[in-house]
Amino acid sequence: MAISKAMIVFPLLCFLFSTISAFSQPNTLLCNQTEKHALLSFKRALYDPAHRLSSWSAQEDCCEWNGVYCHNITGRVIKLDLINLGSSNLSLGGKVSPALLQLEFLNYLDLSFNDFGGTPIPNFLGSMQTLTSLNLFYASFGGLIPPQLGNLSNLHSLGLGGYSSYESQLYVENLGWISHLSSLECLLMLEVDLHREVHWLESTSMLSSLSELYLIECKLDNMSPSLGYVNFTSLTALDLARNHFNHEIPNWLFNLSTSLLDLDLSHNSLKGHIPSTILELRYLNDLDLSYNQLTGQIPEHLGQLKHLELLSLGDNSFDGPIPSSLGNLSSLISLYLCGNRLNGTLPSSLGLLSNLLILYIGNNSLADTISEVHFHRLSKLKYLYLSSTSLILKVKSNWVPPFQLEYLSMSSCQMGPNFPTWLQTQASLQDLDISNSGIVDKAPTWFWKWASHLEHIDLSDNQISGDLSGVWLNNTSIYLNSNCFTGLSPALSPNVIVLNMANNSFSGPISHFLCQKLNGRSKLEALDLSNNDLSGELPLCWKSWQSLTHVNLGNNNFSGKIPESIGSLFSLKALHLQNNGLSGSIPSSLQDCTSLGLLDLSGNKLLGNIPNWIGELTDLKALCLRSNKFIGEIPSQICQLSSLTVLDVSDNELSGIIPRCLNNFSLMATRDTPDDLFTDLEYSSYELEGLVLVTVGRELEYKGILKYVRMVDLSSNNLSGSIPTELSQLFGLRFLNLSRNHLMGRIPEKIGRVTSLLSLDLSTNHLSGEIPQSLADLTFLNRLNLSYNQFRGRIPLSTQLQSFDAFSYIGNAQLCGAPLTKNCTEDDESQGRDTIDENEEGSEMRWFYISMGLGFIVGFWGVCGTLIFKKNWRYAYFQFLYDVRDWVYVAVAIRLNWFHDNLRRLLGKQKY
Ligand SMILES: *[C@@H]1O[C@H](CO)[C@@H](O)[C@H](O)[C@H]1NC(C)=O
Ligand SMILES: *[C@@H]1O[C@H](CO)[C@@H](O)[C@H](O)[C@H]1NC(C)=O
Ligand SMILES: *[C@@H]1O[C@H](CO)[C@@H](O)[C@H](O)[C@H]1NC(C)=O
Ligand SMILES: *[C@@H]1O[C@H](CO)[C@@H](O)[C@H](O)[C@H]1NC(C)=O
Ligand SMILES: *[C@@H]1O[C@H](CO)[C@@H](O)[C@H](O)[C@H]1NC(C)=O
Ligand SMILES: *[C@@H]1O[C@H](CO)[C@@H](O)[C@H](O)[C@H]1NC(C)=O
Ligand SMILES: *[C@@H]1O[C@H](CO)[C@@H](O)[C@H](O)[C@H]1NC(C)=O
Ligand SMILES: *[C@@H]1O[C@H](CO)[C@@H](O)[C@H](O)[C@H]1NC(C)=O
């Protein structure tokens, strides 16, 4: 896990100040020879690939060595500071030699941010009685923490844990030894597994000198003292973030009334309200309760905690208004209330917080018109996050804000219809997100010049117009999508990495744009020009854009051939050319794009065969060739695409048989969804690739949830032969469409094993025989079409199969039973039953009852669906879209958490 060093600057503080040592360096004293030799053998046992200890040479005085500090009078080594504050390739590793024991006066040892590869903390450290400070955090030590450390009775600060892998995580059986560290003032444990120790609270509270306690991500699950009370006497900082507490905030905390300055209980699952006893903590500087499940209102009396500098209540379930008393917190620097259900207005008193640096109140249900007064005294504000609220910003057009922002995010607030002119006053802005903010205006002439120093711009989802011809774009990421921009000739600086201009009013050819003279080597990775009115042939100038990984030119009017030069984009991961008028065949140069994960050429006039070399693009996850004029057979090489999850070659002129090897699509053969599937197809670290697919009879856009789609669509071709039984091994398949071909024979008997199937369409073929009983096992099936074949016999009984409309079965003259109106006669039965004996009839009934149970949920929803939508067939879409919404929600939530997390890590503790 990549935790930035900025995040732990705060814990470090107590380590810096708790060391009292007298040293001077350089000095004229010569170091003790015994100690020099001890240090040299310590060095020999270490692995130092970056030669950080190159100054440790036998010729030099050891008091002059890097990281070695001697006493200014005795010349004895008292401090060894080998913390690695550089990049990880500067890490020391190897073995910590017991030669250190010869440093009889060592009181400070710091090996943090190195990499000891999961090896245990050496026991001998417990014998170094002179140590007052031992810092081993983020050093990748692993295994049991030696209880011998309990002998270090002079220790003032102890830091352990971090960076070890899951298998070699540090752990304790019990913490009894820690109560012997009678001088301990500061204890930091990160990612140490403490869950076996239920008395952690008693053990640590026996430390009468303890003033700072950090037990972060230590798998603790209970904060209630087993003895009924907790006796911390001088605790000033308590950080129990990222544990597993899932109860209410315990009362003993509030007995720490006069001492506690910092309290961090974030990233747990705490429940309940904020108790009013929190006022007892009257000197509190920092209160972080974010990322819990706290409910109720934010208490008005929080405004009495006059010393608060950080108040973080984000990502909980608080509702009600933001108390106006927060405006009394005159020392407040950071206020995070985002990600709750706060409603009502934004108190104008917040505008009095003259020390405020960070104001994060987005992702709430706030609805209010905010104006100059809300920002009246916020002259120090740098980070403002108001996105995803219903706030309306109404300020005078000549407003000069008191602040100079670096980060502004007001997505989906209303600040239009006029373009916000006050932005012009913000000279330090790095990040601007005013997407979906109701702006219906021309981008002012000053804007692009002003914006050239920004790093990120997001103006998407407005109705901003303006001609981009001659504009110079110089931002790392630029989102102009879904606006009314025209004039596709902006000059791109080589700094641009993401350029999204989809869904605007750009028209005409793109050769000016793509063949522009670049002032250096372009870094452009993602280019999205989809959904415009662009036309003409695709230019040949792809060689100048070799960093491109994502190209989307879909839904335009491009014509002519796909140029061979597109194959020079050897980093390409996703190529969308769908819904244009492109002709000719798939260029063979595309086989050089070996990283290609997604290829969408659907809706063009492409000809020829599906090339055999397609099987060499083994990273391919989605291949869409729908609605072209491809002929010939589906090459069996396609089966080499073992990562394929979406195969759509429908609506072409393909003939021959369906390859028998489709069970080689190993990702479709599993029900698991690897988390990282498609994430390597993201650009700009969160922009997900999307595809428009016809999965349930109409086009739906899949974005974010694309990784859940498993689809094979070979419909509307001239395929013949039978349905390969191998298809029933694609256990993860959700959508199968083989309709409108010339397929013959039976439905594979074991089709019921593909239990993930949501939609099955085999209509308009020449399939025959009975409908296999196992079809009744498909309890998730929302859509079934077997119409216009030559099936016969009784439709198997199950709540599921009878819940479909008769249209699912019509056009099969010899099929009978519900939901068809044709009753089964003795004749039909005997015809249909040619292989079923009495026993199997019994099993048929059993199946009926079992599938009634399994089908209950689906059946229930079916009833609700019909009640709500009246028309039965719509219910399938209803439930399906419901799932889609959940998936989308999950994806968005993950993205937001990541975003907040990272920002907070960087900014939250910044004042230190
Ligand atoms: C040694 O260091 C201590 C503490 O920094 C200081 O008080 C003392 O004056 C120094 N002695 C000499 C001789 O430099
Ligand atoms: C050097 O250190 C050794 C062992 O720590 C000690 O025995 C010796 O007296 C020291 N020498 C001096 C000159 O302080
Ligand atoms: C260490 O990594 C950084 C980037 O992370 C790189 O710039 C530097 O050259 C590397 N140094 C060595 C010694 O490998
Ligand atoms: C240190 O601790 C261990 C185990 O806790 C104990 O056996 C030993 O006697 C203690 N004393 C020293 C000097 O190591
Ligand atoms: C709490 O600790 C203090 C100081 O160590 C001690 O005087 C007091 O008796 C303790 N209280 C309890 C209830 O153990
Ligand atoms: C805020 O939400 C609560 C509960 O959801 C509701 O009772 C209250 O009327 C809402 N207040 C406003 C101003 O919308
Ligand atoms: C263009 O962007 C670069 C890097 O982001 C920046 O250093 C430079 O100042 C920008 N140029 C202008 C004219 O804003
Ligand atoms: C089908 O059978 C049911 C009862 O089993 C009967 O009520 C119905 O009239 C029959 N329908 C036809 C078309 O024979």
Side-chain angles (χ1 to χ4, degrees), residues 449-455 472 474-476 493 495:
K449 187 164 177 4
W450 170 81
S452 64
H453 71 270
L454 299 187
E455 195 163 337
W472 183 62
N474 180 45
N475 321 90
T476 307
S493 104
N495 297 328

mmCIF file of all heavy atoms in Angstrom, residues 449-455 472 474-476 493 495, ligand 7:
data_model
loop_
_atom_site.group_PDB
_atom_site.id
_atom_site.type_symbol
_atom_site.label_atom_id
_atom_site.label_comp_id
_atom_site.label_asym_id
_atom_site.label_seq_id
_atom_site.Cartn_x
_atom_site.Cartn_y
_atom_site.Cartn_z
ATOM 1 N N LYS A 449 -5.982 31.951 -21.931
ATOM 2 C CA LYS A 449 -4.654 32.421 -21.540
ATOM 3 C C LYS A 449 -4.475 32.249 -20.030
ATOM 4 O O LYS A 449 -3.484 31.736 -19.553
ATOM 5 C CB LYS A 449 -4.485 33.895 -21.946
ATOM 6 C CG LYS A 449 -3.082 34.406 -21.731
ATOM 7 C CD LYS A 449 -2.856 35.698 -22.499
ATOM 8 C CE LYS A 449 -1.478 36.303 -22.254
ATOM 9 N NZ LYS A 449 -0.558 35.548 -21.434
ATOM 10 N N TRP A 450 -5.516 32.640 -19.299
ATOM 11 C CA TRP A 450 -5.493 32.483 -17.840
ATOM 12 C C TRP A 450 -5.324 31.011 -17.458
ATOM 13 O O TRP A 450 -4.585 30.659 -16.537
ATOM 14 C CB TRP A 450 -6.796 33.038 -17.268
ATOM 15 C CG TRP A 450 -6.997 32.728 -15.821
ATOM 16 C CD1 TRP A 450 -6.459 33.392 -14.771
ATOM 17 C CD2 TRP A 450 -7.779 31.665 -15.275
ATOM 18 N NE1 TRP A 450 -6.853 32.802 -13.594
ATOM 19 C CE2 TRP A 450 -7.667 31.727 -13.879
ATOM 20 C CE3 TRP A 450 -8.565 30.648 -15.834
ATOM 21 C CZ2 TRP A 450 -8.299 30.828 -13.023
ATOM 22 C CZ3 TRP A 450 -9.193 29.755 -14.985
ATOM 23 C CH2 TRP A 450 -9.065 29.852 -13.594
ATOM 24 N N ALA A 451 -6.026 30.152 -18.208
ATOM 25 C CA ALA A 451 -6.061 28.737 -17.832
ATOM 26 C C ALA A 451 -4.775 27.997 -18.168
ATOM 27 O O ALA A 451 -4.594 26.856 -17.747
ATOM 28 C CB ALA A 451 -7.241 28.049 -18.526
ATOM 29 N N SER A 452 -3.865 28.650 -18.890
ATOM 30 C CA SER A 452 -2.712 27.878 -19.377
ATOM 31 C C SER A 452 -1.783 27.448 -18.247
ATOM 32 O O SER A 452 -0.991 26.538 -18.416
ATOM 33 C CB SER A 452 -1.940 28.671 -20.435
ATOM 34 O OG SER A 452 -1.407 29.826 -19.843
ATOM 35 N N HIS A 453 -1.899 28.058 -17.069
ATOM 36 C CA HIS A 453 -1.045 27.607 -15.968
ATOM 37 C C HIS A 453 -1.720 26.554 -15.094
ATOM 38 O O HIS A 453 -1.111 26.043 -14.163
ATOM 39 C CB HIS A 453 -0.608 28.802 -15.111
ATOM 40 C CG HIS A 453 -1.724 29.390 -14.297
ATOM 41 N ND1 HIS A 453 -2.523 30.396 -14.770
ATOM 42 C CD2 HIS A 453 -2.183 29.081 -13.065
ATOM 43 C CE1 HIS A 453 -3.432 30.691 -13.838
ATOM 44 N NE2 HIS A 453 -3.251 29.904 -12.806
ATOM 45 N N LEU A 454 -2.978 26.255 -15.358
ATOM 46 C CA LEU A 454 -3.663 25.234 -14.561
ATOM 47 C C LEU A 454 -3.132 23.851 -14.907
ATOM 48 O O LEU A 454 -2.672 23.612 -16.011
ATOM 49 C CB LEU A 454 -5.169 25.232 -14.843
ATOM 50 C CG LEU A 454 -5.980 26.475 -14.550
ATOM 51 C CD1 LEU A 454 -7.454 26.182 -14.744
ATOM 52 C CD2 LEU A 454 -5.733 26.924 -13.140
ATOM 53 N N GLU A 455 -3.246 22.947 -13.952
ATOM 54 C CA GLU A 455 -2.847 21.580 -14.241
ATOM 55 C C GLU A 455 -4.035 20.758 -14.759
ATOM 56 O O GLU A 455 -3.913 20.012 -15.705
ATOM 57 C CB GLU A 455 -2.271 20.946 -12.982
ATOM 58 C CG GLU A 455 -1.520 19.689 -13.295
ATOM 59 C CD GLU A 455 -0.603 19.279 -12.157
ATOM 60 O OE1 GLU A 455 -0.222 20.151 -11.352
ATOM 61 O OE2 GLU A 455 -0.291 18.091 -12.087
ATOM 62 N N TRP A 472 -4.294 27.898 -27.230
ATOM 63 C CA TRP A 472 -3.164 27.039 -26.860
ATOM 64 C C TRP A 472 -3.507 26.304 -25.578
ATOM 65 O O TRP A 472 -3.776 26.928 -24.554
ATOM 66 C CB TRP A 472 -1.924 27.911 -26.675
ATOM 67 C CG TRP A 472 -0.680 27.147 -26.360
ATOM 68 C CD1 TRP A 472 -0.077 26.215 -27.142
ATOM 69 C CD2 TRP A 472 0.132 27.269 -25.186
ATOM 70 N NE1 TRP A 472 1.057 25.749 -26.540
ATOM 71 C CE2 TRP A 472 1.213 26.376 -25.327
ATOM 72 C CE3 TRP A 472 0.056 28.052 -24.025
ATOM 73 C CZ2 TRP A 472 2.202 26.239 -24.365
ATOM 74 C CZ3 TRP A 472 1.038 27.917 -23.068
ATOM 75 C CH2 TRP A 472 2.099 27.023 -23.239
ATOM 76 N N ASN A 474 -2.478 23.895 -22.535
ATOM 77 C CA ASN A 474 -1.211 23.576 -21.884
ATOM 78 C C ASN A 474 -1.438 22.880 -20.554
ATOM 79 O O ASN A 474 -0.664 22.985 -19.634
ATOM 80 C CB ASN A 474 -0.437 24.890 -21.663
ATOM 81 C CG ASN A 474 0.896 24.689 -20.987
ATOM 82 O OD1 ASN A 474 1.637 23.785 -21.351
ATOM 83 N ND2 ASN A 474 1.197 25.511 -19.983
ATOM 84 N N ASN A 475 -2.553 22.148 -20.404
ATOM 85 C CA ASN A 475 -2.858 21.555 -19.109
ATOM 86 C C ASN A 475 -2.665 20.058 -19.159
ATOM 87 O O ASN A 475 -2.830 19.449 -20.207
ATOM 88 C CB ASN A 475 -4.291 21.886 -18.725
ATOM 89 C CG ASN A 475 -4.653 23.296 -19.106
ATOM 90 O OD1 ASN A 475 -5.133 23.519 -20.214
ATOM 91 N ND2 ASN A 475 -4.350 24.236 -18.260
ATOM 92 N N THR A 476 -2.345 19.475 -18.023
ATOM 93 C CA THR A 476 -2.134 18.036 -17.985
ATOM 94 C C THR A 476 -3.396 17.288 -18.380
ATOM 95 O O THR A 476 -3.360 16.374 -19.181
ATOM 96 C CB THR A 476 -1.713 17.614 -16.571
ATOM 97 O OG1 THR A 476 -0.604 18.412 -16.208
ATOM 98 C CG2 THR A 476 -1.316 16.161 -16.538
ATOM 99 N N SER A 493 0.123 21.861 -26.302
ATOM 100 C CA SER A 493 1.489 21.835 -25.799
ATOM 101 C C SER A 493 1.824 20.375 -25.502
ATOM 102 O O SER A 493 0.929 19.560 -25.292
ATOM 103 C CB SER A 493 1.605 22.711 -24.558
ATOM 104 O OG SER A 493 1.651 21.926 -23.403
ATOM 105 N N ASN A 495 2.685 19.119 -22.955
ATOM 106 C CA ASN A 495 2.325 18.749 -21.581
ATOM 107 C C ASN A 495 0.989 18.033 -21.460
ATOM 108 O O ASN A 495 0.726 17.407 -20.452
ATOM 109 C CB ASN A 495 2.225 19.998 -20.710
ATOM 110 C CG ASN A 495 3.541 20.715 -20.603
ATOM 111 O OD1 ASN A 495 4.582 20.071 -20.637
ATOM 112 N ND2 ASN A 495 3.503 22.025 -20.511
HETATM 113 C C1 LIG B 7 2.604 25.245 -19.335
HETATM 114 O O1 LIG B 7 2.595 24.126 -18.452
HETATM 115 C C2 LIG B 7 3.824 23.915 -17.802
HETATM 116 C C3 LIG B 7 3.740 22.618 -17.026
HETATM 117 O O2 LIG B 7 2.494 22.413 -16.508
HETATM 118 C C4 LIG B 7 4.148 25.098 -16.934
HETATM 119 O O3 LIG B 7 5.372 24.886 -16.292
HETATM 120 C C5 LIG B 7 4.199 26.355 -17.790
HETATM 121 O O4 LIG B 7 4.381 27.478 -16.975
HETATM 122 C C6 LIG B 7 2.908 26.520 -18.576
HETATM 123 N N1 LIG B 7 3.054 27.633 -19.488
HETATM 124 C C7 LIG B 7 2.280 28.702 -19.417
HETATM 125 C C8 LIG B 7 2.564 29.779 -20.408
HETATM 126 O O5 LIG B 7 1.390 28.829 -18.600
#
